[in-house]
Amino acid sequence: MTRGEDHCFGTHYCNSLIITAGGSTFAWWIGYLKKLEGPVFYNTMITRPTNKKFLYYNKQRFDYEGFPKEWIRLALNNDSIVLDNKWFEEKNGKKIGNG
């Protein structure tokens, strides 16, 4: 299939979606425009942690502004996939949003 056909198929026929590449705008739009009710899961780790900590931090800093609240956050913890119940800023002890 072409990318256009992939996008059309995903938005019209998928009732759930797993976004493995958290920084993928292509997958984000499929999740956002998806016609059928159903969960959207996404990987909260947009990049791999590196020795350049600032790169890792900046990629995740505003995750609460980029992903709808109803989407389900997933993270990798000791080689297991787990639900990530806090936004990146909350994990670092900061308040998020307007509150």
Side-chain angles (χ1 to χ4, degrees):
M1 284 197 282
T2 66
R3 288 181 60 85
E5 291 169 332
D6 281 345
H7 196 273
C8 183
F9 180 82
T11 57
H12 292 294
Y13 298 105
C14 292
N15 61 359
S16 60
L17 179 67
I18 299 174
I19 301 173
T20 56
S24 169
T25 57
F26 186 81
W28 187 95
W29 278 109
I30 292 174
Y32 187 76
L33 297 172
K34 190 167 70 60
K35 303 275 188 231
L36 301 174
E37 292 294 322
V40 175
F41 300 91
Y42 71 94
N43 178 6
T44 58
M45 186 179 292
I46 294 173
T47 63
R48 289 188 181 136
T50 66
N51 58 355
K52 297 178 182 178
K53 188 176 180 180
F54 65 90
L55 176 67
Y56 175 67
Y57 180 79
N58 286 339
K59 290 288 187 179
Q60 292 191 35
R61 186 171 183 175
F62 301 108
D63 57 351
Y64 62 92
E65 293 178 345
F67 295 96
K69 287 184 180 184
E70 62 273 9
W71 289 12
I72 302 164
R73 298 180 300 275
L74 300 175
L76 187 63
N77 185 6
N78 296 324
D79 295 329
S80 296
I81 297 172
V82 297
L83 290 177
D84 193 356
N85 61 358
K86 290 185 178 182
W87 296 110
F88 182 77
E89 293 290 336
E90 290 176 309
K91 290 182 222 173
N92 289 297
K94 297 178 184 176
K95 285 193 167 192
I96 62 170
N98 296 328

